[in-house]
């Protein structure tokens, strides 16, 4: 695919918080370890200590989880390499969206795979394994139960409760049966016993040849490696104070923080249940259940059944970095900025804070849409304007009449200055009256200009419809394409779509890609 790139801050699609991080605003430097450039991985490698015993546990758990999955030689080799002290991971995490969900899930995976390839070239003496961390313990079913294909919404209805990774996915086979032959691998995936196993199956089908390792952290042996944090959080409430202090610092800089720590940052996890644990006067209570524990019972539960504890958004990142020899986390704009609230928690538990890499961002532009847009004479950057703003720009550039009152407003400003100079020589207080008159007339002229533009725009309805059609095809329902459309929109027409993404993206190029089909 032919590609072009646009700086993120020229799209008006990202928060200022995220843009300031990407542009390395110095005020944010204390909230992360280092910026994710290839050269900064040298220090990250040198400072990443990871116990051999933890590597062994990780390797054994992964082999157990892949026991019924047809592993490629690349995946098998990468799992074996994880026990080598010179092997590190680059990780992305995501919910278990049915049929992969929105397109940016695919972009996340492509980013970690390409990052590992680039780092291997830069540091050939080390090994880099791409990892997809399944959010198998998440319980926000409404966020994963649908996807959009060719403008149609497909939705999974089930009354199952608790962690979505435990769900029986057999009901999805009915949806899979409606898809074209090129998507048949989903039928086999949704024949697995759990949604977590199903997602591993289809992700392995799509990316196994690239060596991508899928991790399901919902496992007793992995949770046992995190028991010291469970103790600290439940009994000392350490993370709550640390996150609150960091959030306050960020807010004092004018940033809006996204996550808030609780006194207890773990859910109670069991079949059909994932509910918050709350501290009480007599011990602990699981919200919305009859389950309660004394302090001593809770300590025993941590020791004997650590799998009953599921970290929330505050501690999940720390759990990830505790069980993986990880160097960088690849995430979207919201993920990157909420991680900035967490560095003090990592420091307290003496765990290396990973480099925070933004995923690749892209807009796929089919040939027909590209042709229509080029006929308007508008630039590729103008694609990110609203349809109304893009049409306004086109009208002003192409109409036969001068519909801008800009020069007249400049003359008015000059007249205002002259009047103020004369008035101030007699009575300085009169300048306020002149300023008020200038403001009033400026607003009237601007209002008149808008009426003039509207009148001119009515002469170009066909062009307006053309711009709106392209915008709707590339920004469905007014959303970024990557946040709504499913990858099957492109994969079914071109089975090499993912291969082309792997060839087109540079994991360390933090701009928006325009991909022309």
């Amino acid at each position: 695919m032919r590609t072009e790139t646009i700086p993120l801050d020229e799209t008006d699609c990202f928060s200022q918080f995220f843009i300031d991080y990407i542009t390395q605003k110095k005020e944010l430097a204390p909230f992360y370890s280092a910026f994710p450039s290839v050269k900064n991985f040298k220090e990250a490698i040198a400072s990443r200590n990871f116990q051999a015993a933890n590597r062994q546990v990780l390797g054994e758990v992964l082999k157990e989880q892949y026991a019924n999955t047809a592993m490629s030689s690349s995946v098998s080799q990468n799992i074996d390499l994880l026990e080598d002290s010179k092997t590190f991971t680059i990780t992305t995490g995501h919910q278990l969206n049915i049929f992969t969900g929105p397109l940016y899930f695919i972009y996340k995976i492509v980013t970690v795979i390409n990052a590992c390839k680039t780092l291997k070239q830069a540091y050939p003496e080390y090994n880099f394994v791409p990892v997809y961390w399944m959010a198998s313990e998440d319980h926000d079913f409404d966020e994963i139960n649908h996807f959009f294909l060719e403008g149609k919404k497909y939705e999974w209805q089930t009354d199952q409760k608790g962690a979505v990774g435990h769900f029986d996915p057999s009901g999805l086979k009915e949806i899979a049966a409606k898809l074209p032959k090129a998507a048949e691998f989903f039928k086999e995936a949704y024949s697995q016993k759990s949604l977590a196993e199903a997602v591993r199956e289809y992700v392995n089908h799509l990316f196994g040849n690239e060596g991508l390792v899928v991790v399901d952290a919902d496992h007793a042996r992995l949770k046992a490696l995190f028991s010291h944090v469970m103790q600290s959080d439940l009994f000392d409430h350490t993370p709550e104070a640390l996150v609150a202090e960091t959030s306050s610092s960020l807010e004092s800089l004018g940033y809006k923080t996204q996550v808030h720590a609780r006194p207890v940052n773990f859910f109670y996890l069991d079949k059909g249940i994932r509910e918050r644990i709350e501290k009480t006067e007599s011990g602990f209570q699981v919200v919305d259940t009859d389950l309660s524990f004394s302090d001593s019972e809770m300590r025993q539960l941590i020791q004997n059944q650590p799998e009953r504890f599921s970290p929330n958004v505050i501690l999940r990142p720390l759990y990830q970095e505790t069980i993986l020899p990880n160097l960088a986390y690849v995430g979207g704009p919201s993920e990157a900025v909420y991680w900035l609230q967490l560095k003090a928690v990592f420091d307290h538990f003496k765990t290396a804070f990973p480099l925070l890499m933004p995923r690749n961002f892209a807009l796929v532009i089919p040939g027909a849409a590209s042709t229509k847009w080029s006929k308007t004479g508008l630039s590729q950057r103008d694609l990110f304007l609203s349809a109304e703003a893009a049409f306004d720009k086109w009208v002003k550039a192409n109409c036969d009449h001068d519909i801008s009152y800009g020069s007249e407003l400049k003359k008015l400003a000059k007249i205002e200055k002259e009047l103020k100079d004369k008035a101030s020589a007699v009575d300085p207080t009169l300048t306020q009256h002149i300023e008020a008159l200038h403001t009033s007339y400026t607003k009237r002229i601007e209002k008149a200009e808008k009426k003039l533009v509207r009148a001119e725009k009515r002469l170009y309805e066909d062009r307006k419809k053309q711009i709106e059609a392209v915008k709707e095809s590339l920004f469905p329902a007014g959303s970024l394409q990557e946040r709504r459309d499913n990858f099957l929109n492109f994969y079914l027409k071109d089975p090499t779509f993912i291969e082309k993404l792997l060839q087109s993206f540079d994991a360390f190029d933090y701009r928006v890609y325009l991909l022309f089909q």
Side-chain angles (χ1 to χ4, degrees):
M1 290 184 281
R2 182 173 68 85
T3 66
E4 292 183 20
T5 54
I6 296 177
L8 298 179
D9 58 359
E10 294 184 13
T11 65
D12 200 30
C13 294
F14 303 92
S15 71
Q16 192 58 50
F17 195 170
F18 179 63
I19 294 298
D20 286 350
Y21 172 68
I22 288 297
T23 55
Q24 303 180 61
K25 190 173 182 179
K26 64 180 181 179
E27 287 82 359
L28 289 176
F31 300 95
Y32 58 91
S33 54
F35 190 75
S37 61
V38 174
K39 67 176 183 179
N40 283 342
F41 275 82
K42 182 177 181 179
E43 176 58 29
I45 292 169
S47 61
R48 188 62 167 112
N49 296 316
F50 196 77
Q51 297 180 18
N54 288 16
R55 287 182 180 274
Q56 183 177 349
V57 171
L58 176 62
E60 291 172 356
V61 168
L62 286 172
K63 289 172 184 176
E64 174 191 320
Q65 293 182 345
Y66 270 89
N68 298 317
T69 302
M71 278 192 293
S72 68
S73 58
S74 298
V75 172
S76 179
Q77 180 182 17
N78 277 346
I79 291 176
D80 288 338
L81 282 173
L82 286 171
E83 297 190 34
D84 185 335
S85 63
K86 288 192 172 183
T87 298
F88 301 94
T89 59
I90 306 298
T91 302
T92 192
H94 199 70
Q95 296 166 301
L96 307 188
N97 295 77
I98 64 171
F99 297 87
T100 75
L103 188 56
Y104 72 83
F105 167 72
I106 301 296
Y107 296 167
K108 280 183 162 184
I109 303 295
V110 170
T111 305
V112 294
I113 291 170
N114 281 347
C116 288
K117 292 177 180 178
T118 299
L119 292 171
K120 184 62 177 177
Q121 292 178 342
Y123 306 100
E125 66 272 33
Y126 296 99
N127 306 303
F128 303 93
V129 175
V131 167
Y132 163 46
W133 175 289
M134 292 196 293
S136 56
E137 298 176 34
D138 195 1
H139 61 271
D140 293 324
F141 177 65
D142 290 343
E143 294 184 6
I144 70 157
N145 72 339
H146 61 277
F147 70 101
F148 292 90
L149 177 59
E150 299 295 343
K152 180 180 179 181
K153 183 180 182 179
Y154 292 83
E155 189 168 359
W156 181 24
Q157 301 288 346
T158 179
D159 58 2
Q160 297 177 76
K161 303 293 183 183
V164 296
H166 298 174
F167 283 16
D168 174 1
S170 58
L172 289 166
K173 289 189 287 186
E174 182 179 346
I175 297 177
K178 299 176 182 178
L179 300 180
K181 188 175 181 180
E184 276 190 339
F185 59 90
F186 281 114
K187 295 181 184 178
E188 182 174 348
Y190 291 124
S191 297
Q192 302 300 312
K193 294 180 180 179
S194 71
L195 185 61
E197 292 177 2
V199 173
R200 181 187 297 108
E201 187 74 23
Y202 73 63
V203 171
N204 185 67
H205 173 87
L206 293 170
F207 295 103
N209 289 336
E210 297 292 336
L212 180 74
V213 174
V214 179
V215 174
D216 183 0
D218 183 10
H219 194 284
R221 293 187 67 192
L222 297 176
K223 292 284 179 71
L225 302 177
F226 203 52
S227 60
H228 63 293
V229 177
M230 297 174 187
Q231 292 277 1
S232 178
D233 183 63
L234 269 72
F235 292 97
D236 302 327
H237 314 304
T238 308
E240 180 187 27
L242 294 170
V243 173
E245 184 178 355
T246 300
S247 299
S248 177
S249 297
L250 285 166
E251 288 164 2
S252 70
L253 295 173
Y255 297 111
K256 184 178 180 180
T257 54
Q258 295 186 184
V259 295
H260 304 282
R262 296 178 178 272
V264 176
N265 294 285
F266 281 94
F267 293 90
Y268 181 85
L269 181 65
D270 204 349
K271 187 174 179 60
I273 178 175
R274 186 180 187 246
E275 297 290 349
R276 286 194 300 109
I277 300 172
E278 284 190 348
K279 187 74 178 76
T280 64
E281 291 183 3
S282 58
F284 297 87
Q285 175 73 38
V286 179
V287 176
D288 294 332
T289 75
D290 295 328
L291 294 170
S292 62
F293 303 88
S294 66
D295 285 1
S296 61
E297 288 172 335
M298 186 60 78
R299 292 184 192 277
Q300 288 180 345
L301 193 65
I302 292 173
Q303 182 177 351
N304 299 327
Q305 293 182 288
E307 69 274 16
R308 290 285 179 264
F309 298 87
S310 176
N312 68 2
V313 67
I314 298 295
L315 292 180
R316 190 213 66 79
L318 181 65
Y319 179 40
Q320 171 188 296
E321 300 304 308
T322 300
I323 69 172
L324 295 178
N326 199 48
L327 298 177
Y329 181 74
V330 172
S334 297
E335 290 175 290
V337 297
Y338 94 68
W339 274 72
L340 297 180
Q341 294 178 244
L342 307 178
K343 187 174 182 296
V345 177
F346 281 76
D347 293 343
H348 174 80
F349 289 103
K350 296 180 172 56
T351 303
F353 192 73
L355 278 66
L356 301 178
M357 287 184 63
R359 63 170 173 82
N360 285 126
F361 304 94
L363 176 64
V364 183
I365 305 176
S370 178
T371 299
K372 285 182 181 179
W373 192 257
S374 64
K375 288 180 179 178
T376 68
L378 293 167
S379 71
Q380 307 298 353
R381 282 174 170 76
D382 294 333
L383 281 167
F384 292 92
L385 295 173
S386 68
E388 186 69 21
F391 183 49
D392 283 350
K393 184 173 181 178
W394 184 89
V395 170
K396 290 177 180 179
N398 293 275
C399 68
D400 296 327
H401 310 100
D402 182 3
I403 57 173
S404 171
Y405 287 161
S407 60
E408 286 77 10
L409 287 170
K410 288 180 180 179
K411 291 176 183 177
L412 183 63
K414 184 178 179 181
I415 292 171
E416 181 206 18
K417 184 179 183 305
E418 293 172 352
L419 290 174
K420 285 170 68 176
D421 288 343
K422 286 184 178 181
S424 63
V426 178
D427 182 354
T429 62
L430 293 175
T431 60
Q432 295 178 354
H433 175 63
I434 294 170
E435 287 176 358
L437 287 173
H438 176 259
T439 300
S440 175
Y441 279 110
T442 297
K443 288 180 179 179
R444 291 182 184 183
I445 292 171
E446 288 174 344
K447 186 176 181 179
E449 183 184 65
K450 289 178 180 178
K451 288 184 177 181
L452 185 62
V453 170
R454 284 198 296 271
E456 186 72 18
K457 284 162 66 174
R458 285 194 288 271
L459 304 175
Y460 302 102
E461 278 299 311
D462 289 344
R463 183 65 75 189
K464 179 182 180 182
K465 290 178 181 178
Q466 182 181 32
I467 290 172
E468 289 174 341
V470 174
K471 284 288 297 181
E472 177 57 29
S473 69
L474 299 182
F475 297 82
S479 175
L480 284 175
Q481 176 194 72
E482 61 178 31
R483 297 179 187 173
R484 184 176 173 91
D485 280 350
N486 184 269
F487 90 107
L488 290 173
N489 285 281
F490 309 101
Y491 180 84
L492 294 178
K493 299 169 186 173
D494 180 6
T496 67
F497 177 68
I498 290 177
E499 295 172 28
K500 289 176 179 176
L501 293 179
L502 287 162
Q503 295 166 4
S504 300
F505 286 163
D506 176 352
F508 294 91
D509 187 347
Y510 305 131
R511 294 179 290 179
V512 176
Y513 278 83
L514 302 183
L515 305 174
F516 297 90
Q517 290 188 308

